[in-house]
Amino acid sequence: RPWNLLDDALLSDADAAGGLTPALADRMRRLIAYAVEGGAQGVLLTCSLYGPVATDADAGVPVLAADAAVFASALGGGHREVLVLATFAAALDDTVDRLRASARAARSPTRIVGQVIAPGAVPDPGAADAVLLAQYSLAPHADALAEALGLPVHAGPHAAARALRTAVRNATDGLTEGSIPCSE
């Protein structure tokens, strides 16, 4: 049963501090611990800034970073060029930088390009043979965009939900197919 915890000041506090500080990372770890103490079988962080906390969390349950699954999906899809879309430059720059770093780490030959678009606009994909949505808020438009462009569209929440479901199933003994509802 999915449930959500929100500390809506984590992003603004990180912005004011100039990035992720040890104190803010500790604050995120406390939220993760709170979720686990409340019965969570897995935790998905939905802010990319806090992704490094996911990789060092020792929570006893799977803890996933916001974009790890969508990056793996986009880079593992055999695409020559992935177009990253965002509605504002900071989100675009951050996602393109992190996706390029993931591509280098995976030794993927995939070319990464980016484009800022107005909400609701249909972009020109150029030579791209796939699209990655930089913001979770764009995910509801993934299917319509895929249809309009005739290209696969990788959306963070969809990939993350599938990855979390798999991680929880792998970490939990005795579960049967379909016993962990996880909305995408």
Side-chain angles (χ1 to χ4, degrees), residues 30-44:
R30 286 191 303 275
L31 281 172
I32 293 167
Y34 179 76
V36 173
E37 289 166 10
Q41 294 176 312
V43 176
L44 171 63

Side-chain angles (χ1 to χ4, degrees), residues 20-159:
L20 180 60
T21 65
L24 289 170
D26 285 342
R27 192 159 116 199
M28 180 57 78
R29 284 187 203 93
R30 286 191 303 275
L31 281 172
I32 293 167
Y34 179 76
V36 173
E37 289 166 10
Q41 294 176 312
V43 176
L44 171 63
L45 306 182
T46 58
C47 178
S48 59
L49 177 68
Y50 287 89
V53 178
T55 60
D56 72 4
D58 184 19
V61 301
V63 178
L64 303 181
D67 293 328
V70 78
F71 287 2
S73 176
L75 295 173
H79 307 301
R80 291 179 319 279
E81 182 171 299
V82 173
L83 172 62
V84 178
L85 297 177
T87 59
F88 60 98
L92 179 67
D93 294 343
D94 173 65
T95 303
V96 166
D97 288 348
R98 290 182 301 108
L99 183 56
R100 285 180 177 154
S102 292
R104 282 190 301 277
R107 296 193 172 157
S108 171
T110 305
R111 183 170 179 255
I112 312 300
V113 296
Q115 192 176 122
V116 173
I117 60 167
V122 176
D124 174 3
D129 56 349
V131 172
L132 185 139
L133 302 177
Q135 299 156 248
Y136 270 37
S137 60
L138 296 175
H141 308 287
D143 291 340
L145 189 57
E147 186 174 323
L149 296 176
L151 297 173
V153 175
H154 299 276
H158 303 146

Side-chain angles (χ1 to χ4, degrees), residues 141-176:
H141 308 287
D143 291 340
L145 189 57
E147 186 174 323
L149 296 176
L151 297 173
V153 175
H154 299 276
H158 303 146
R162 285 189 297 272
L164 184 60
R165 183 182 304 125
T166 298
V168 169
R169 281 189 180 137
N170 290 340
T172 308
D173 294 330
L175 292 177
T176 58

